Amino acid sequence: MQDFLQTLPKVELHLHIEGSLEPELMFALAQRNGIELPYATVQEAKDAYCFSDLQGFLNLYFQGMSVLRNEQDFYDLAMDYFRRAREEGVVHIDMHFDPQAHLQRGVPLEVVMAGLLKAKQEAEESLDLSIGMIMAFLRDRPAEEALHVLEQAAPYWKMLDAIGLDSAEKENPPSKFVDVFERAKQLGLVCVAHAGEEGPAEYIKEALELLNVERIDHGVRCLESEEVVERLRREQIALTVCPLSNVSLKVVEDLRDHPLPKLLSEGLKVTISSDDPAYFGGGMLTNHLACAEAFGWDKAVFRQLTRNAIEEAFTTQQRRDELLRRLAAI
Ligand SMILES: [Zn+2]
């Protein structure tokens, strides 16, 4: 099974590039940029990666990314993850990035975009990896700010595959961002949003109805509403489920208690992603291996999950067909 899961042409639809920052790279970038970290050693940083909920994680996440200052830093961040993902047999990544988290530290959007786009181009040319770009907005920040950033991103609109909505879900319902998502739709951008992770099933319904999202990031709490499950099933809306993230953030106590098998048996279009691999215990292969162990899934289940992700990936039809052929060949 380990060999099969390594070879499986895995597609990751839910990955925050800032959450792929490993402590080793964080230290290297801190040194390069003359930034003082609150940790003396890499091990001390790893030991501090301890949180019990989404807010606890977000505090560390925003602190960690303070080392990202220049174009080269964003390039190094992305390439470091792309190489690791490729080693784990990942062939496509839809990458979320958080411009507001950098703008509020005084890092211009141009710096972020230049570094990430350079890494994307290089990975697509040399790593047998395709990359989708999702500009995400921080839902715990004001909606007006998100709208302003979306306008500011005009030079990059044609390079974006979608906009997303992430960060602290509680008390920040999708309805807060109706104007932002309406504007994105006008611009021809696809919309996705985190919903139903810490927030209730109602937020999934809102994201679908008010924000017109094409897929739901996480969405595991849909099971609390038969109406929402029915709609997700009928419209085959993809859920980007992140098993080890859900364990780390205590959405479930143990992976064996995770609703993944239930989501599948309900006929929902489930996919597997790593979310923030540097913080949640591993990348795509680790997530797949953990699911194999916790749920005893056979190869057919993993093939189905991968087919779901390939069908939904932000890529060209040519690349999609190629990935489907590769999946059929293993
Ligand atoms: Zn996420």
PDB file of all heavy atoms in Angstrom, residues 259-277:
ATOM      1  N   PRO A 259     -15.013  11.922  10.192  1.00  0.00           N
ATOM      2  CA  PRO A 259     -16.198  11.584   9.375  1.00  0.00           C
ATOM      3  C   PRO A 259     -15.895  11.228   7.921  1.00  0.00           C
ATOM      4  O   PRO A 259     -16.851  11.049   7.147  1.00  0.00           O
ATOM      5  CB  PRO A 259     -17.048  12.865   9.456  1.00  0.00           C
ATOM      6  CG  PRO A 259     -16.100  13.958   9.734  1.00  0.00           C
ATOM      7  CD  PRO A 259     -14.992  13.358  10.561  1.00  0.00           C
ATOM      8  N   LEU A 260     -14.628  11.107   7.522  1.00  0.00           N
ATOM      9  CA  LEU A 260     -14.325  10.797   6.110  1.00  0.00           C
ATOM     10  C   LEU A 260     -15.089   9.595   5.566  1.00  0.00           C
ATOM     11  O   LEU A 260     -15.701   9.693   4.486  1.00  0.00           O
ATOM     12  CB  LEU A 260     -12.812  10.593   5.929  1.00  0.00           C
ATOM     13  CG  LEU A 260     -12.033  11.816   5.429  1.00  0.00           C
ATOM     14  CD1 LEU A 260     -10.542  11.627   5.647  1.00  0.00           C
ATOM     15  CD2 LEU A 260     -12.320  12.107   3.964  1.00  0.00           C
ATOM     16  N   PRO A 261     -15.091   8.454   6.266  1.00  0.00           N
ATOM     17  CA  PRO A 261     -15.844   7.303   5.715  1.00  0.00           C
ATOM     18  C   PRO A 261     -17.324   7.611   5.536  1.00  0.00           C
ATOM     19  O   PRO A 261     -17.941   7.204   4.554  1.00  0.00           O
ATOM     20  CB  PRO A 261     -15.624   6.203   6.769  1.00  0.00           C
ATOM     21  CG  PRO A 261     -14.351   6.589   7.456  1.00  0.00           C
ATOM     22  CD  PRO A 261     -14.365   8.089   7.488  1.00  0.00           C
ATOM     23  N   LYS A 262     -17.884   8.386   6.465  1.00  0.00           N
ATOM     24  CA  LYS A 262     -19.291   8.768   6.388  1.00  0.00           C
ATOM     25  C   LYS A 262     -19.536   9.699   5.185  1.00  0.00           C
ATOM     26  O   LYS A 262     -20.524   9.543   4.447  1.00  0.00           O
ATOM     27  CB  LYS A 262     -19.679   9.465   7.706  1.00  0.00           C
ATOM     28  CG  LYS A 262     -21.068  10.033   7.748  1.00  0.00           C
ATOM     29  CD  LYS A 262     -22.119   8.973   8.004  1.00  0.00           C
ATOM     30  CE  LYS A 262     -23.497   9.618   8.210  1.00  0.00           C
ATOM     31  NZ  LYS A 262     -24.577   8.772   7.727  1.00  0.00           N
ATOM     32  N   LEU A 263     -18.619  10.647   4.986  1.00  0.00           N
ATOM     33  CA  LEU A 263     -18.745  11.568   3.837  1.00  0.00           C
ATOM     34  C   LEU A 263     -18.756  10.778   2.530  1.00  0.00           C
ATOM     35  O   LEU A 263     -19.518  11.063   1.610  1.00  0.00           O
ATOM     36  CB  LEU A 263     -17.591  12.581   3.831  1.00  0.00           C
ATOM     37  CG  LEU A 263     -17.525  13.564   5.004  1.00  0.00           C
ATOM     38  CD1 LEU A 263     -16.197  14.316   5.017  1.00  0.00           C
ATOM     39  CD2 LEU A 263     -18.682  14.564   4.941  1.00  0.00           C
ATOM     40  N   LEU A 264     -17.891   9.758   2.465  1.00  0.00           N
ATOM     41  CA  LEU A 264     -17.830   8.923   1.255  1.00  0.00           C
ATOM     42  C   LEU A 264     -19.108   8.106   1.089  1.00  0.00           C
ATOM     43  O   LEU A 264     -19.656   8.010  -0.013  1.00  0.00           O
ATOM     44  CB  LEU A 264     -16.616   7.984   1.323  1.00  0.00           C
ATOM     45  CG  LEU A 264     -15.268   8.619   0.980  1.00  0.00           C
ATOM     46  CD1 LEU A 264     -14.134   7.636   1.255  1.00  0.00           C
ATOM     47  CD2 LEU A 264     -15.234   9.081  -0.472  1.00  0.00           C
ATOM     48  N   SER A 265     -19.581   7.536   2.201  1.00  0.00           N
ATOM     49  CA  SER A 265     -20.770   6.685   2.080  1.00  0.00           C
ATOM     50  C   SER A 265     -22.018   7.503   1.755  1.00  0.00           C
ATOM     51  O   SER A 265     -23.006   6.986   1.247  1.00  0.00           O
ATOM     52  CB  SER A 265     -20.975   5.841   3.343  1.00  0.00           C
ATOM     53  OG  SER A 265     -21.374   6.682   4.401  1.00  0.00           O
ATOM     54  N   GLU A 266     -21.959   8.816   2.008  1.00  0.00           N
ATOM     55  CA  GLU A 266     -23.062   9.706   1.634  1.00  0.00           C
ATOM     56  C   GLU A 266     -23.015  10.073   0.152  1.00  0.00           C
ATOM     57  O   GLU A 266     -23.864  10.819  -0.333  1.00  0.00           O
ATOM     58  CB  GLU A 266     -23.031  10.999   2.471  1.00  0.00           C
ATOM     59  CG  GLU A 266     -23.428  10.822   3.923  1.00  0.00           C
ATOM     60  CD  GLU A 266     -24.944  10.691   4.098  1.00  0.00           C
ATOM     61  OE1 GLU A 266     -25.678  10.767   3.099  1.00  0.00           O
ATOM     62  OE2 GLU A 266     -25.384  10.509   5.250  1.00  0.00           O
ATOM     63  N   GLY A 267     -21.967   9.606  -0.541  1.00  0.00           N
ATOM     64  CA  GLY A 267     -21.877   9.882  -1.977  1.00  0.00           C
ATOM     65  C   GLY A 267     -21.370  11.276  -2.302  1.00  0.00           C
ATOM     66  O   GLY A 267     -21.652  11.811  -3.379  1.00  0.00           O
ATOM     67  N   LEU A 268     -20.589  11.877  -1.372  1.00  0.00           N
ATOM     68  CA  LEU A 268     -20.070  13.230  -1.600  1.00  0.00           C
ATOM     69  C   LEU A 268     -18.742  13.175  -2.359  1.00  0.00           C
ATOM     70  O   LEU A 268     -18.024  12.177  -2.304  1.00  0.00           O
ATOM     71  CB  LEU A 268     -19.893  13.954  -0.264  1.00  0.00           C
ATOM     72  CG  LEU A 268     -21.162  14.055   0.582  1.00  0.00           C
ATOM     73  CD1 LEU A 268     -20.901  14.843   1.854  1.00  0.00           C
ATOM     74  CD2 LEU A 268     -22.303  14.712  -0.213  1.00  0.00           C
ATOM     75  N   LYS A 269     -18.427  14.271  -3.050  1.00  0.00           N
ATOM     76  CA  LYS A 269     -17.205  14.318  -3.864  1.00  0.00           C
ATOM     77  C   LYS A 269     -16.028  14.750  -2.995  1.00  0.00           C
ATOM     78  O   LYS A 269     -15.662  15.929  -2.947  1.00  0.00           O
ATOM     79  CB  LYS A 269     -17.391  15.266  -5.048  1.00  0.00           C
ATOM     80  CG  LYS A 269     -16.279  15.132  -6.068  1.00  0.00           C
ATOM     81  CD  LYS A 269     -16.645  15.722  -7.406  1.00  0.00           C
ATOM     82  CE  LYS A 269     -15.638  15.306  -8.469  1.00  0.00           C
ATOM     83  NZ  LYS A 269     -15.972  15.837  -9.797  1.00  0.00           N
ATOM     84  N   VAL A 270     -15.456  13.793  -2.306  1.00  0.00           N
ATOM     85  CA  VAL A 270     -14.413  14.050  -1.317  1.00  0.00           C
ATOM     86  C   VAL A 270     -13.036  14.021  -1.968  1.00  0.00           C
ATOM     87  O   VAL A 270     -12.776  13.216  -2.865  1.00  0.00           O
ATOM     88  CB  VAL A 270     -14.476  12.972  -0.202  1.00  0.00           C
ATOM     89  CG1 VAL A 270     -13.320  13.128   0.775  1.00  0.00           C
ATOM     90  CG2 VAL A 270     -15.807  13.047   0.525  1.00  0.00           C
ATOM     91  N   THR A 271     -12.156  14.929  -1.512  1.00  0.00           N
ATOM     92  CA  THR A 271     -10.745  14.889  -1.900  1.00  0.00           C
ATOM     93  C   THR A 271      -9.915  15.036  -0.620  1.00  0.00           C
ATOM     94  O   THR A 271     -10.434  15.460   0.414  1.00  0.00           O
ATOM     95  CB  THR A 271     -10.397  16.043  -2.865  1.00  0.00           C
ATOM     96  OG1 THR A 271     -10.524  17.291  -2.156  1.00  0.00           O
ATOM     97  CG2 THR A 271     -11.324  16.067  -4.079  1.00  0.00           C
ATOM     98  N   ILE A 272      -8.623  14.701  -0.716  1.00  0.00           N
ATOM     99  CA  ILE A 272      -7.737  14.758   0.453  1.00  0.00           C
ATOM    100  C   ILE A 272      -6.639  15.795   0.218  1.00  0.00           C
ATOM    101  O   ILE A 272      -6.008  15.799  -0.842  1.00  0.00           O
ATOM    102  CB  ILE A 272      -7.046  13.386   0.674  1.00  0.00           C
ATOM    103  CG1 ILE A 272      -8.073  12.290   0.929  1.00  0.00           C
ATOM    104  CG2 ILE A 272      -6.014  13.440   1.791  1.00  0.00           C
ATOM    105  CD1 ILE A 272      -8.651  12.276   2.301  1.00  0.00           C
ATOM    106  N   SER A 273      -6.401  16.663   1.218  1.00  0.00           N
ATOM    107  CA  SER A 273      -5.328  17.657   1.119  1.00  0.00           C
ATOM    108  C   SER A 273      -4.600  17.779   2.457  1.00  0.00           C
ATOM    109  O   SER A 273      -5.042  17.229   3.467  1.00  0.00           O
ATOM    110  CB  SER A 273      -5.886  19.024   0.730  1.00  0.00           C
ATOM    111  OG  SER A 273      -6.377  19.024  -0.583  1.00  0.00           O
ATOM    112  N   SER A 274      -3.497  18.556   2.447  1.00  0.00           N
ATOM    113  CA  SER A 274      -2.703  18.649   3.681  1.00  0.00           C
ATOM    114  C   SER A 274      -2.916  19.968   4.432  1.00  0.00           C
ATOM    115  O   SER A 274      -2.508  20.092   5.580  1.00  0.00           O
ATOM    116  CB  SER A 274      -1.220  18.457   3.375  1.00  0.00           C
ATOM    117  OG  SER A 274      -0.683  19.575   2.713  1.00  0.00           O
ATOM    118  N   ASP A 275      -3.497  21.009   3.764  1.00  0.00           N
ATOM    119  CA  ASP A 275      -3.822  22.275   4.424  1.00  0.00           C
ATOM    120  C   ASP A 275      -2.556  23.077   4.745  1.00  0.00           C
ATOM    121  O   ASP A 275      -2.142  23.896   3.937  1.00  0.00           O
ATOM    122  CB  ASP A 275      -4.663  22.011   5.685  1.00  0.00           C
ATOM    123  CG  ASP A 275      -5.538  23.194   6.089  1.00  0.00           C
ATOM    124  OD1 ASP A 275      -5.521  24.205   5.385  1.00  0.00           O
ATOM    125  OD2 ASP A 275      -6.252  23.084   7.110  1.00  0.00           O
ATOM    126  N   ASP A 276      -1.951  22.839   5.911  1.00  0.00           N
ATOM    127  CA  ASP A 276      -0.722  23.528   6.318  1.00  0.00           C
ATOM    128  C   ASP A 276       0.290  22.472   6.779  1.00  0.00           C
ATOM    129  O   ASP A 276       0.458  22.244   7.983  1.00  0.00           O
ATOM    130  CB  ASP A 276      -1.021  24.501   7.466  1.00  0.00           C
ATOM    131  CG  ASP A 276      -2.016  25.572   7.056  1.00  0.00           C
ATOM    132  OD1 ASP A 276      -1.607  26.523   6.365  1.00  0.00           O
ATOM    133  OD2 ASP A 276      -3.212  25.434   7.393  1.00  0.00           O
ATOM    134  N   PRO A 277       0.963  21.831   5.814  1.00  0.00           N
ATOM    135  CA  PRO A 277       1.740  20.623   6.139  1.00  0.00           C
ATOM    136  C   PRO A 277       2.865  20.818   7.158  1.00  0.00           C
ATOM    137  O   PRO A 277       3.200  19.885   7.884  1.00  0.00           O
ATOM    138  CB  PRO A 277       2.302  20.177   4.779  1.00  0.00           C
ATOM    139  CG  PRO A 277       2.177  21.360   3.884  1.00  0.00           C
ATOM    140  CD  PRO A 277       1.001  22.142   4.372  1.00  0.00           C
TER     141      PRO A 277
END
